Amino acid sequence: MFGLFSVSGSRYFPDNEISSDCNHLLWNYKLNLTTDPKFESVAREVCKSTIAEIKECADEPVGKGFLVSCLVDHRGNITEYQCHQYITKMTAIIFSDYRLICGFMDDCKADINLLKCGSIRPGEKDAHSQGEVVACLEKGLVKEAEENDPRVQVSDQCKKAILRVAELSSDDFHLDRHLYFACRDDRERFCENTQAGEGRVYKCLFNHKFEESMSEKCRDALTTRQKLIAQDYKVSYSLAKSCKSDLKKYRCNVENLPRSREARLSYLLMCLESAVHRGRQVSSECQGEMLDYRRMLMEDFSLSPEIILSCRGEIEHHCSGLHRKGRTLHCLMKVVRGEKGNVGLTCQQALQTLIQETDPGADYRIDRALNEACESVIQTACKHIRSGDPMILSCLMEHLYTEKMVEDCEHRLLELQYFISRDWKLDTVLYRKCQGDASRLCHTRGWNETMMSDLMPPGAVFSCLYRHAYRTEEQGRRLSRECRAEVQRILHQRAMDVKLDPALQDKCMTDLGKWCSEKTETGQELECLQDHLDDLVSDCRDIVGNLTELESEDIQIEALLMRACEPIIQTFCHEVADNQIDSGDLMECLIQNKHQKEMNEKCAIGVTHFQLVQMKDFRFSYKFKMACKEDVLKLCPNIKKKVDVVICLSTTVRNDTLQDAKEHRVSLKCRKQLRVEELEMTEDIRLEPELYEACKSDIKNHCQNVPYGNAQIIECLKEVKKQLSTRCHQKVFKLQETEMMDPELDYTLMRVCKQMIKRFCPEADSKNMLQCLKQNKNSEVMDPKCKQMITKRQITQNTDYRLNPVLRKACKADIPKFCQNILNRAKDDTELEGQVISCLKLKYADQRLSPDCEDQIRVIIQESALDYRLDPQLQMHCSEEISNLCAEEAAAQEQTGQVEECLKVNLLKIKTEMCKKEVLNMLKESKADIFVDPVLHTACALDIKHHCAAIPPGRGRQMSCLMEALEDKRVRLQPECKKRLNDRIEMWSYAAKVAPAEGFSDLAMQVMTSPSKNYILSVITVGICVLFLIGLMCGRITKRVTRELKDR
């Protein structure tokens, strides 16, 4: 018998070296052995106690070979040494030919003929090659599953027989004759030191299946064996043995399930994985075996008949020749992600099912392609995490698009994450922390029960979780803290790629192709969808809107933005960044610090983009939404855009303020947040959509190279205001009017003068900020840049009285009284170029203004006397004269009235009538008040103090005092003052000649301000008296003549 065993199993007797007659003799002999009562009686004698223990074998009929076959079936339970040795030798004999296996020939006779696997008649085929028949049937069984061809179907009886043979040969690879002969050399090459038995050689060969030196014949045989394991886990001895107790414990092979399902490797894996995910104890040996077979399924797509059946076209078109080490699966994943073509729904479902079965989210090592691609990244970026920990995948996602990430790893990672993101249970940590919340709030069932269900669309459970994650306590049930943290982690990861959000990709596929086909950089697709929000189809717009609304509450979801903004967050926003709940504070902090020197370009661009997106819907500003939600519903219903909501609420607040309403219609908390929103909108013209649209062409023409931030575009438009198109000019004028009424909305002024405001105006009301700065403009400690900015704003104010709220209020009655003709010619939203203010200046010289208006005009005259740029009419009419006659004075860094003095001195040289008139008006104004003539006032300051201290300023009183002192021989004035006064007298005399009085009031003003006032008044008085006497005399004569006529 030992010799027979040697011939049957030895590699030293190849088939072609044993003659046909010998083969036939041997086969008949082996057949007789299996049925010979002597051998059966030997078996009964040697295995007496074992047969007694195995009732099934004890009941087998005598003489049909069934007893030996039964003992072979149960050899794993045989404990008797002699019985075990005997049955092992008999097994080698039986498995050398399928016809010797009890019942096999009867069960598979028809199938052998159908599949043309060879003859069953002795002598027609070499008996030792009969393992090829079993192999042929096994391939037929596999082919049936992969092709679903009704013409090639193995009968159920033969299926059971084939799988039973494979199961019985699972512990010793010698028993699988086809595989044994195919892999003899490979066994010596790779598994020389691996002891046969308990499936160890199989496992060793499986591990080396994709080695370059592995023979194709052996690789094919191993693949067939693995496919049988996929159909029936019992074909793997080690898996069946290691997991036997766990399968029983967790009812993974219950009797009421059909064997075809319970025996499938996928069912076993999912059943046991479900136990692990629920926190149940599964033996380490079983988990080790599960890991090996999950890795095996991920390595070779051909082991999954569903993939072969559903993805055949995709593999042929896109992924042919990539079958090793999981490359084909990742190629298919890439196709599903839309990076390499289109894929059918059934193929996508088959891939999703395979990912569920193998569960690589629990251990990245299951995915060999990912493991090899990301090994270097894991060693550097994730070395602090234990190998095999599910957080390795999360760590890799955190380092996506960083310097540590390599391109190949990036692709493999995103391909896998695409599928994990479509089933929340495949993220092991998320499932562990959130299964209770999901069951309570989202009505989910067990781990592998919902996996089998198609009731919920991809991503539905996670969508449910994140909706509850951001609910307030008032809104109802919320997630546990642990689950909320995991939901935030997943959201951070998904923000890196729109394809990781199933709902977004599904609803926005058309819009992505239409609007964002060229946006291929990281994070650009979502930004593109947000930019085109109003153009998207309804379903996509809702998804993008909800996601943007979520980001507004927790901007940390935007992982790429957070990565770019890390330096600024650490420096300025670390306190709000550390908060458990964001509630929009972090983004508000980033906006406030957007122009710090530590801010980098990427962060600034990201923050600005989010600000622009917020303008599309007030819901996208979380703090604004929460503070003003009720006010918007009450006061601004049906208004969606944020800018329109802000205008609506601001108008309501302003009207209530102007009307001194007892109670504001807008709540206090909303008014506070509204102020924040108004201030933020002033920083970038793009945050004022109407202004931006009106001025787009002007920006291109006049401010093309000016950056948008820091209100620089707005400032540029103000500086070239006269060159702007009518529509843009009107919008800029309206903006300036708003800013002058509320200087805090003047972003540039507030930024440039920030420190000066703290120094001079810490308690000033926001609406009086510019007035306060103007009052301190000439302080020695005033910052030059702030002073320059104040001057700019003064120049703007003096172009139109409507841009000076204080003047407008003070002169409310005077303007229509004296300047109505100018108002009649005026157009809305267009500057009057200082005409109204010039009109009021003339009336000031005539001393006809109301006290409040006079005070304001005096201030304006005093300021413009020091800086000609503050007088729009003078600058407009005398620009040529200033360039020709006073160029040096105009170029001075600080204006102190030199240009005005130059024009006065050169009055005789001025040819332009309008300019001459403006200079004469200046002279006229200076007669009314010495304070409006800074050169004269500076020269005569000491003389005023000594000789005119008791005389109040205004209405020409101090000027008259100085003139009288000049004429008084007893008074000695300062030489400079005396000189300047004589110059002024000459100028006034010339002015009187070239500009005679235009009316009685003008004449009276000239007399009152004349140095010879007393003489003139005396002459006028004498003249009036003479006229009076003549009148009396003429009256008496007339009366006498009348009486005489009556008497006649």
Side-chain angles (χ1 to χ4, degrees), residues 838-881:
S838 292
C839 167
L840 292 171
K841 283 180 180 179
L842 292 173
K843 302 308 171 187
Y844 171 81
D846 294 343
Q847 300 177 2
R848 298 177 63 184
L849 298 178
S850 63
D852 288 343
C853 185
E854 185 177 290
D855 290 341
Q856 291 302 317
I857 291 297
R858 184 188 303 114
V859 172
I860 290 173
I861 294 173
Q862 289 172 356
E863 289 170 345
S864 57
L866 288 169
D867 192 338
Y868 75 98
R869 296 171 299 175
L870 300 182
D871 189 336
Q873 289 288 300
L874 178 68
Q875 192 176 13
M876 182 169 62
H877 296 308
C878 298
S879 58
E880 188 176 340
E881 285 76 6

Side-chain angles (χ1 to χ4, degrees), residues 386-605:
R386 178 180 57 83
S387 180
D389 192 290
M391 288 306 292
I392 290 281
L393 278 182
S394 187
C395 172
L396 290 172
M397 287 298 295
E398 288 171 12
H399 288 87
L400 197 64
Y401 309 124
T402 64
E403 295 175 355
K404 293 182 178 179
M405 180 58 65
V406 296
E407 186 179 3
D408 198 27
C409 177
E410 177 185 307
H411 292 316
R412 301 296 85 76
L413 181 62
L414 287 173
E415 287 155 12
L416 179 61
Q417 283 290 349
Y418 177 90
F419 289 91
I420 292 178
S421 66
R422 276 147 180 77
D423 190 336
W424 73 289
K425 300 179 300 300
L426 297 182
D427 189 303
T428 305
V429 181
L430 175 69
Y431 182 77
R432 187 165 64 239
K433 298 294 176 79
C434 294
Q435 55 181 316
D437 294 283
S439 176
R440 176 170 55 91
L441 302 172
C442 308
H443 312 294
T444 60
R445 293 182 291 170
W447 190 85
N448 60 334
E449 291 176 16
T450 53
M451 188 176 295
M452 295 292 186
S453 174
D454 294 326
L455 296 177
M456 289 191 177
V461 176
F462 185 76
S463 296
C464 168
L465 289 173
Y466 82 63
R467 282 197 303 273
H468 286 87
Y470 290 92
R471 281 191 171 185
T472 61
E473 292 180 5
E474 293 80 13
Q475 289 175 317
R477 296 177 293 178
R478 298 187 66 182
L479 300 184
S480 63
R481 181 177 295 182
E482 285 185 341
C483 180
R484 190 176 192 275
E486 289 307 310
V487 170
Q488 286 176 320
R489 173 179 66 84
I490 301 300
L491 288 172
H492 296 173
Q493 294 175 5
R494 289 190 176 186
M496 297 185 189
D497 192 324
V498 294
K499 292 171 184 174
L500 297 182
D501 190 323
L504 183 66
Q505 193 193 21
D506 179 45
K507 302 295 184 184
C508 297
M509 186 65 72
T510 304
D511 289 300
L512 282 167
K514 184 176 182 180
W515 304 109
C516 311
S517 58
E518 297 179 0
K519 303 292 184 180
T520 56
E521 295 296 321
T522 307
Q524 282 189 340
E525 288 177 315
L526 180 58
E527 288 182 3
C528 172
L529 290 173
Q530 290 172 331
D531 291 339
H532 291 88
L533 186 66
D534 296 332
D535 303 316
L536 305 179
V537 298
S538 177
D539 288 345
C540 179
R541 186 166 59 246
D542 291 342
I543 291 285
V544 175
N546 291 336
L547 184 58
T548 308
E549 188 175 354
L550 192 63
E551 286 178 350
S552 73
E553 180 177 356
D554 183 7
I555 194 61
Q556 295 188 60
I557 291 171
E558 276 282 6
L560 294 174
L561 178 61
M562 290 300 97
R563 196 178 292 162
C565 294
E566 188 174 353
I568 203 85
I569 291 172
Q570 292 302 319
T571 308
F572 298 101
C573 309
H574 62 276
E575 291 183 2
V576 292
D578 293 338
N579 290 344
Q580 183 72 26
I581 301 174
D582 183 355
S583 301
D585 295 322
L586 182 55
M587 177 50 75
E588 191 172 280
C589 177
L590 288 172
I591 292 171
Q592 291 168 358
N593 293 280
K594 191 166 73 168
H595 298 289
Q596 296 287 351
K597 61 182 180 181
E598 292 85 354
M599 176 64 73
N600 60 68
E601 185 182 7
K602 279 188 177 180
C603 180
I605 290 172

Side-chain angles (χ1 to χ4, degrees), residues 90-143:
M90 288 300 296
T91 301
I93 295 171
I94 291 172
F95 276 86
S96 65
D97 191 334
Y98 73 94
R99 291 172 294 180
L100 303 181
I101 301 170
C102 178
F104 187 87
M105 190 170 175
D106 296 331
D107 292 335
C108 293
K109 181 177 179 180
D111 299 279
I112 292 171
N113 284 326
L114 176 67
L115 299 172
K116 299 180 180 178
C117 289
S119 171
I120 61 166
R121 289 192 295 276
E124 286 192 18
K125 194 169 178 72
D126 183 6
H128 281 282
S129 67
Q130 289 298 300
E132 299 293 332
V133 177
V134 177
C136 176
L137 290 170
E138 289 173 345
K139 287 179 180 177
L141 180 60
V142 169
K143 189 175 181 181

Side-chain angles (χ1 to χ4, degrees), residues 48 61 158 175 311 326 373 465 559 795 820 928 932:
K48 188 174 183 181
C158 187
L175 304 183
C311 301
L465 289 173
I795 293 170
Q820 187 62 47
V932 302

Side-chain angles (χ1 to χ4, degrees), residues 929-965:
D929 197 335
I930 193 171
F931 283 95
V932 302
D933 190 337
V935 175
L936 181 61
H937 182 262
T938 303
C940 298
L942 287 173
D943 297 292
I944 293 171
K945 187 176 181 181
H946 290 151
H947 307 295
C948 309
I951 298 173
R955 298 186 178 272
R957 289 185 286 261
Q958 288 187 340
M959 182 67 77
S960 297
C961 172
L962 285 173
M963 289 300 178
E964 290 174 1

